[in-house]
Amino acid sequence: MNKKLNGVNEKMEENKKIREEVLHSVTGLTDEQLNTQVHEGRWSIMQVLHHLYLLERAITYAISNQLANGESKNVSDKPIHLAVNRSTKVNAPSVVQPSNKFISLKEMKEKLSQSREALSKVINTADPSLLEQRAYPHPIFGELSLKQWIPLIGLHEKRHLAQIEELKEELT
């Protein structure tokens, strides 16, 4: 197997583990608890999960689009590990803002499964060299190679896992 693709597979495995942690963290909560906003103007746990789904879908689309239509760029790696630092508040772009509608955990798990399946399909069929050569802008980090977007998904979910844990404590 191509070494470059293998690195991508490792990142996807890490993303899988983080997703499992996220889903495990909400196990045992009722749909009502998951949809409860503990603070005015802050997301419920379900809205956090919906945001994760919307973001993964948007990134999958961006990667797919850049693989098909993008131009090669020389983009340096950015410090994406900083994405887990929650001391800096970041407002989500409108396209990944969650809805206020009631969503069941069963429905959300299906959505998250579908978005991960779509991402995996795009990544598994991608030319590994194009993942390094093509880029898409991030609102904080600037131009990121498509290859860096892959681990950023997991780091972003890890960031929100900490938020979910905080919200769970406030539910009780």
Side-chain angles (χ1 to χ4, degrees):
M1 174 177 278
N2 182 320
K3 186 178 178 194
K4 289 179 184 174
L5 186 58
N6 195 19
V8 169
N9 287 342
E10 289 169 13
K11 299 301 182 195
M12 287 298 288
E13 268 306 306
E14 182 65 20
N15 287 351
K16 180 182 175 187
K17 288 177 189 165
I18 295 166
R19 173 67 58 84
E20 288 169 359
E21 286 178 50
V22 168
L23 293 176
H24 180 74
S25 77
V26 298
T27 300
L29 296 174
T30 66
D31 289 339
E32 288 69 26
Q33 288 174 311
L34 291 168
N35 284 278
T36 298
Q37 276 186 290
V38 265
H39 296 291
E40 186 69 34
R42 288 197 49 210
W43 292 346
S44 67
I45 294 172
M46 187 56 72
Q47 285 176 304
V48 173
L49 295 174
H50 190 216
H51 167 70
L52 298 179
Y53 159 73
L54 292 171
L55 186 83
E56 186 167 54
R57 230 178 46 171
I59 291 172
T60 299
Y61 174 79
I63 290 173
S64 180
N65 188 43
Q66 287 302 313
L67 286 169
N69 307 309
E71 297 176 13
S72 292
K73 299 178 180 183
N74 188 8
V75 178
S76 60
D77 282 354
K78 305 297 188 309
I80 61 171
H81 64 278
L82 297 174
V84 297
N85 179 353
R86 293 190 58 238
S87 65
T88 305
K89 176 103 170 90
V90 179
N91 289 324
S94 60
V95 69
V96 293
Q97 287 277 346
S99 89
N100 289 321
K101 78 173 199 158
F102 187 94
I103 304 173
S104 72
L105 183 57
K106 182 179 188 285
E107 181 184 350
M108 186 49 62
K109 282 182 174 180
E110 288 170 10
K111 286 179 176 292
L112 287 165
S113 177
Q114 290 166 0
S115 63
R116 183 53 51 90
E117 196 174 304
L119 174 67
S120 295
K121 185 177 179 186
V122 167
I123 299 306
N124 291 335
T125 59
D127 176 340
S129 64
L130 286 182
L131 290 171
E132 289 185 19
Q133 297 166 8
R134 304 267 166 94
Y136 189 76
H138 182 275
I140 306 296
F141 297 114
E143 289 285 327
L144 285 182
S145 71
L146 301 182
K147 187 175 180 182
Q148 267 206 300
W149 274 101
I150 298 164
L152 183 63
I153 292 169
L155 293 169
H156 176 259
E157 291 194 8
K158 204 175 229 183
R159 173 188 183 98
H160 284 292
L161 176 58
Q163 180 184 8
I164 288 169
E165 290 300 324
E166 288 173 12
L167 290 168
K168 278 172 49 179
E169 284 180 25
E170 295 181 41
L171 273 175
T172 53

